[in-house]
Amino acid sequence: MLDFAIFAVTFLLALVGAVLYLYPVSAVLALWGPGRRPSLSVADGNLPDIVNSGSLHEFLVNLHERYGPVVSFWFGRRLVVSLGAVDVLKQHINPNKTLDPFETMLKSLLRYQSGGGSVSENHMRKKLYENGVTDSLKSNFALLLKLSEELLDKWLSYPETQHVPLSQHMLGFAMKSVTQMVMGSTFEDDQEVIRFQKNHGTICIFTYFQVWSEIGKGFLDGSLDKNTTRKKQYEDALMQLESVLRNIIKERKGRNFSQHIFIDSLVQGNLNDQQILEDSMIFSLASCIITAKLCTWAICFLTTSEEVEKKLYEEINQVFGNGPVTPEKIEQLRYCQHVLCETVRTAKLTPVSAQLQDIEGKIDQFIIPRETLVLYALGVVLQDPNTWPSPHKFDPDRFDDELVMKTFSSLGFSGTQECPELRFAYMVTTVLLSVLVKRLHLLSVEGQVIETKYELVTSSREEAWITVSKRY
């Protein structure tokens, strides 16, 4: 039961940990607005309810179904507010304030301190990120195409009856793509990619268990540090990754390279070495996982949606014909863009985001006190039938409606508010689908039921298997 919900609790701990440090626990204990009273002691709050629900997302689904779009619950003695409908989110989201859920969580878990400056400083960093993503994708398009074609050749060699471990292959593809486009030629060596993947996994596993010994106390009272073996593995993995990044940063400073990578944009910005290291670390960790999961879910949905795959194939054929996949023509794949938007929505790819209420605010008739942790229950919002007709149906055509796309963009999944990791993942997945769908039928394995695991990024609980067959 604990393992099933471990990431949900970790996510809250990561977000609340800094809050508990900065603001004493003498906060108001009266229940604010509609919400869930703790099932156990005040010290535990609703943590046991979250664990029993299976994940933070599933806990929030139940909470919003019962109490409506604005709810509250208790994290120990800390009040948490959750918003679960488009109209209330629009009241709260500040378009001038950058909000990256991956940065929020990972900086807390890694105990990084840089960033978090003024509005102008945050916008400067966001612009650096945007330029980094744009320039690295442009400079490394041929590399991305090469990696996609290598995967295609591998799948073309398989007999049609062979089951392909999709999640495994997509993780490997994402690791190769992200490491080379973010950190450069060091990761042309497969052994370096494997080493990065191992360290990446160690850091993720450690964060999963960065909770109470049973239901969370270790994070708050320091008993986590008593697990010396896991802590040392984590520290060694983090030290190795940071050492690699420091060497790359040192190598790239003051020099010109034909291949522009993401780190180059940070080096050229007005950032100190520690901030470059932290930002590139967070972007690398987050981009690997979100790119892998977006690729996995997109292909999963195509294998179970024959008409969608057919329509995507027709668009790819129309745009590229017998010619190569190019950056200019990639921009013409409008239906493919809708497929990826619908993938994010249907999979509830990032089910929860959050921010700290820096000034007292109001949502409908409810006052949100200053220093309250506010969750955006995006997984709830993305399945709201009042916003998305037939919400459980995979239907990319719904994004033909400009108002639907505008709503999607307002949630941070497209346009100017999307996080840089997702923007990066969109392009990588678009190139991969253009290469694969042009040559292959992507097919589901009969009888397979894919169960969902809701973490910071949603994934399949077990390996997702597919089969492929040649179009020509």
Side-chain angles (χ1 to χ4, degrees):
M1 178 67 74
L2 180 62
D3 287 346
F4 187 63
I6 203 80
F7 203 92
V9 182
T10 303
F11 178 69
L12 265 180
L13 284 161
L15 291 169
V16 179
V19 178
L20 292 175
Y21 175 77
L22 292 172
Y23 306 109
V25 186
S26 58
V28 178
L29 295 182
L31 185 66
W32 172 91
R36 182 71 173 270
R37 294 188 180 277
S39 60
L40 295 177
S41 69
V42 172
D44 289 336
N46 292 110
L47 270 175
D49 299 317
I50 296 171
V51 172
N52 290 333
S53 295
S55 70
L56 176 59
H57 164 69
E58 288 159 303
F59 171 76
L60 294 176
V61 167
N62 295 332
L63 207 58
H64 283 287
E65 283 181 353
R66 184 171 179 182
Y67 294 104
V70 184
V71 301
S72 65
F73 63 95
W74 293 96
F75 184 88
R77 300 185 182 190
R78 173 63 57 175
L79 183 67
V80 180
V81 172
S82 178
L83 307 179
V86 168
D87 59 338
V88 295
L89 279 176
K90 285 182 177 179
Q91 293 179 55
H92 193 265
I93 291 174
N94 180 355
N96 296 316
K97 185 173 182 179
T98 60
L99 179 65
D100 185 341
F102 307 104
E103 181 178 12
T104 300
M105 177 180 174
L106 288 172
K107 277 204 170 180
S108 178
L109 289 173
L110 299 175
R111 299 176 183 176
Y112 283 166
Q113 302 296 323
S114 68
S118 65
V119 172
S120 61
E121 288 172 339
N122 287 335
H123 277 286
M124 182 273 290
R125 287 179 61 243
K126 182 181 179 183
K127 189 67 177 176
L128 277 179
Y129 265 55
E130 290 173 351
N131 290 341
V133 171
T134 299
D135 294 343
S136 61
L137 286 169
K138 181 179 179 181
S139 178
N140 294 279
F141 190 87
L143 168 65
L144 179 55
L145 191 59
K146 172 177 172 287
L147 294 174
S148 300
E149 289 172 343
E150 286 176 356
L151 183 64
L152 170 66
D153 290 341
K154 185 173 185 177
W155 286 10
L156 282 170
S157 70
Y158 291 162
E160 293 188 1
T161 55
Q162 181 162 335
H163 290 186
V164 178
L166 180 62
S167 301
Q168 178 184 323
H169 283 200
M170 292 303 97
L171 181 59
F173 170 76
M175 288 286 173
K176 285 185 176 183
S177 302
V178 171
T179 53
Q180 293 186 53
M181 296 171 73
V182 173
M183 295 178 283
S185 58
T186 297
F187 292 92
E188 290 176 1
D189 183 347
D190 283 350
Q191 291 304 311
E192 290 294 335
V193 177
I194 291 170
R195 190 175 295 113
F196 176 88
Q197 183 171 342
K198 180 182 177 182
N199 289 328
H200 180 282
T202 299
I203 291 171
C204 290
I205 289 171
F206 182 81
T207 61
Y208 293 166
F209 287 93
Q210 214 166 14
V211 294
W212 295 4
S213 299
E214 292 300 325
I215 54 172
K217 290 183 180 176
F219 186 88
L220 300 181
D221 67 11
S223 62
L224 172 69
D225 293 339
K226 296 174 184 176
N227 191 329
T228 55
T229 300
R230 185 180 295 129
K231 185 171 185 289
K232 179 144 190 337
Q233 290 173 343
Y234 160 78
E235 290 174 343
D236 288 347
L238 186 61
M239 182 177 65
Q240 288 180 38
L241 288 186
E242 289 181 342
S243 176
V244 169
L245 283 171
R246 284 193 182 93
N247 289 336
I248 293 171
I249 292 167
K250 182 178 180 181
E251 178 189 9
R252 308 294 290 197
K253 274 199 164 186
R255 298 176 62 187
N256 293 319
F257 294 84
S258 59
Q259 177 198 27
H260 185 97
I261 58 176
F262 180 80
I263 284 181
D264 290 335
S265 295
L266 302 185
V267 168
Q268 293 162 11
N270 188 26
L271 303 177
N272 60 50
D273 284 359
Q274 183 62 26
Q275 192 163 357
I276 294 171
L277 183 147
E278 293 182 7
D279 286 359
S280 54
M281 174 72 78
I282 288 167
F283 185 84
S284 300
L285 294 174
S287 294
C288 281
I289 197 68
I290 197 170
T291 300
K293 300 312 178 187
L294 181 61
C295 290
T296 300
W297 283 116
I299 292 175
C300 273
F301 289 135
L302 288 176
T303 65
T304 57
S305 309
E306 186 177 344
E307 286 303 311
V308 173
E309 185 176 340
K310 179 182 177 183
K311 190 171 179 179
L312 178 59
Y313 169 72
E314 290 171 350
E315 179 183 67
I316 290 170
N317 242 5
Q318 180 182 357
V319 170
F320 297 114
N322 294 323
V325 176
T326 63
E328 296 75 24
K329 290 189 175 181
I330 279 284
E331 299 297 329
Q332 301 175 32
L333 296 176
R334 185 167 181 267
Y335 185 69
C336 187
Q337 178 191 16
H338 293 176
V339 168
L340 296 184
C341 290
E342 183 67 347
T343 296
V344 169
R345 190 200 68 81
T346 307
K348 304 174 285 291
L349 193 69
T350 54
V352 181
S353 184
Q355 68 171 266
L356 188 65
Q357 186 76 22
D358 49 8
I359 60 173
E360 184 177 285
K362 186 176 182 181
I363 300 292
D364 290 342
Q365 73 271 32
F366 304 112
I367 301 297
I368 303 179
R370 180 174 175 268
E371 300 166 8
T372 300
L373 183 67
V374 180
L375 299 184
Y376 293 172
L378 298 173
V380 175
V381 175
L382 292 172
Q383 299 286 290
D384 184 355
N386 295 317
T387 304
W388 318 94
S390 304
H392 301 292
K393 180 183 179 183
F394 184 71
D395 180 18
D397 289 331
R398 71 173 80 241
F399 286 94
D400 287 336
D401 187 333
E402 289 186 9
L403 289 177
V404 171
M405 182 60 83
K406 187 175 180 181
T407 296
F408 191 70
S409 298
S410 72
L411 299 176
F413 293 116
S414 182
T416 58
Q417 291 302 304
E418 71 186 8
C419 69
E421 297 90 352
L422 182 58
R423 183 173 166 224
F424 184 92
Y426 277 144
M427 178 57 78
V428 173
T429 310
T430 300
V431 173
L432 179 64
L433 291 181
S434 299
V435 170
L436 294 181
V437 174
K438 187 174 183 179
R439 293 291 311 277
L440 293 170
H441 293 282
L442 306 174
L443 307 166
S444 61
V445 172
E446 187 176 351
Q448 178 179 221
V449 176
I450 297 178
E451 295 185 4
T452 304
K453 181 168 60 173
Y454 297 104
E455 302 174 338
L456 180 64
V457 180
T458 302
S459 62
S460 58
R461 185 162 299 283
E462 305 291 342
E463 180 60 80
W465 299 91
I466 66 167
T467 60
V468 297
S469 64
K470 300 174 186 176
R471 293 185 185 274
Y472 59 88

